[in-house]
Amino acid sequence: MKLKCAIIDDEPLAVSLLKTYVEKTPFLELTGTYTSAVTAMGELTNDSLPDLLFLDIQMPEVNGLEFTRIVGNRCRVIFTTAFEQYAVDSYRVNALDYLLKPFSYADFLQACEKARQWFEKDTQLTHTPDAAPESIFVKSEYKLIQINLSKILYIEGLKDYVKIYIEDEARPILSLMSLKSLEEQLPQQKFVRVHRSFIVQMDKIKIIERNRIVFGKTYIPISDSYKDQLVEQLNRRSIFGKNSSFVGKE
């Protein structure tokens, strides 16, 4: 991971040292240096904000703490200052670290490593999809019923109603809703539409006889309109290669 960073400090020597440290650090990329927070505010827009700021605290006009409150959570901050009395304030504005001048490259690198780990964790959380729900609630006969998704065999659509057939249940659950609205709530990796009137759970399919799925004495038709979706799911699970021949017309 490469972190884009900028330096804001009114001391030229401090800027020069930080720039040297940044250039020595493989996972940092310097996007700019600024001698005041006011100058930085004029040049840094939402599109050009770096991931990380190395920010002095005591500066004229707008100090580092005030600048951090203006920027908010749009980028993260490591404070670099000669005054230790601001340490508590720095954590109140959610800074990643606080480097007290003069600091060594080892201290700088340790703070940067903390920043890198924070961004890696944040990226993982951002790109991890939400876990699929294990159950849904449906309204039936003026009651809300929780249904465990793993127990559903198949669902039948009947105009404005759906019938949800549950494993080991003698009678289906009848609910006033469209089959399409229910389909949108179901995890696509587990449930597949095989007909305009039927959705089946892939894990519950035991037998397919060409153009129909067999659930005991019940036969679910597979229409040409939805055949490709079923074939795609079957191909992902099959050890025999493509299975389109199992779901063709008789």
Side-chain angles (χ1 to χ4, degrees):
M1 173 175 282
K2 198 90 168 177
L3 299 181
K4 293 182 178 180
C5 63
I7 299 166
I8 305 176
D9 198 311
D10 63 337
E11 298 178 21
L13 288 176
V15 171
S16 179
L17 180 64
L18 281 166
K19 185 177 178 182
T20 301
Y21 284 174
V22 168
E23 291 171 349
K24 288 171 61 177
T25 308
F27 57 85
L28 294 182
E29 177 185 342
L30 187 63
T31 62
T33 62
Y34 307 92
T35 55
S36 76
V38 173
T39 303
M41 281 193 304
E43 297 187 24
L44 292 176
T45 64
N46 283 337
D47 294 332
S48 63
L49 275 173
D51 302 309
L52 186 63
L53 283 176
F54 296 101
L55 182 62
D56 190 16
I57 292 182
Q58 280 207 341
M59 293 183 290
E61 298 180 281
V62 177
N63 68 39
L65 292 170
E66 291 167 339
F67 182 80
T68 303
R69 294 187 182 99
I70 294 168
V71 172
N73 292 324
R74 289 175 291 167
C75 62
R76 301 313 305 266
V77 169
I78 293 175
F79 281 116
T80 58
T81 180
F83 303 93
E84 61 183 354
Q85 66 264 33
Y86 294 112
V88 174
D89 291 329
S90 72
Y91 290 105
R92 285 177 181 163
V93 295
N94 207 22
L96 286 176
D97 213 336
Y98 184 93
L99 292 172
L100 191 62
K101 297 176 182 177
F103 48 84
S104 66
Y105 177 64
D107 294 331
F108 173 86
L109 189 58
Q110 186 176 10
C112 293
E113 180 62 26
K114 183 187 293 186
R116 187 176 67 85
Q117 291 177 10
W118 185 92
F119 277 100
E120 284 183 349
K121 184 177 179 180
D122 184 62
T123 301
Q124 290 171 2
L125 290 173
T126 302
H127 291 88
T128 300
D130 294 335
E134 295 182 355
S135 63
I136 57 172
F137 283 89
V138 298
K139 190 174 183 180
S140 180
E141 299 178 351
Y142 305 102
K143 297 179 291 186
L144 275 178
I145 301 175
Q146 185 178 28
I147 301 175
N148 191 322
L149 293 180
S150 66
K151 297 291 185 180
I152 296 176
L153 295 171
Y154 62 93
I155 303 160
E156 182 180 5
L158 301 168
K159 200 173 181 180
D160 298 326
Y161 289 84
V162 295
K163 282 184 176 180
I164 304 172
Y165 291 82
I166 310 295
E167 200 170 35
D168 302 323
E169 294 288 342
R171 298 176 57 189
I173 294 173
L174 187 67
S175 181
L176 178 61
M177 70 170 74
S178 69
L179 190 63
K180 180 175 176 58
S181 64
L182 180 56
E183 181 183 16
E184 291 171 351
Q185 298 180 50
L186 300 172
Q188 294 181 358
Q189 69 272 24
K190 288 184 172 292
F191 291 86
V192 61
R193 186 91 168 255
V194 297
H195 188 274
R196 66 180 182 180
S197 300
F198 290 97
I199 295 172
V200 299
Q201 179 161 198
M202 288 298 300
D203 291 344
K204 302 301 180 182
I205 297 175
K206 294 182 180 179
I207 300 172
I208 299 176
E209 290 182 355
R210 291 197 175 272
N211 64 335
R212 59 189 184 178
I213 299 166
V214 181
F215 285 102
K217 296 181 180 180
T218 301
Y219 296 87
I220 306 296
I222 302 167
S223 71
D224 288 342
S225 301
Y226 296 97
K227 182 178 68 175
D228 290 345
Q229 298 179 41
L230 177 60
V231 170
E232 183 180 348
Q233 290 276 18
L234 289 172
N235 288 338
R236 291 176 183 172
R237 298 165 179 244
S238 175
I239 61 172
F240 298 110
K242 295 187 175 181
N243 288 293
S244 57
S245 60
F246 292 101
V247 285
K249 290 185 177 181
E250 291 183 335

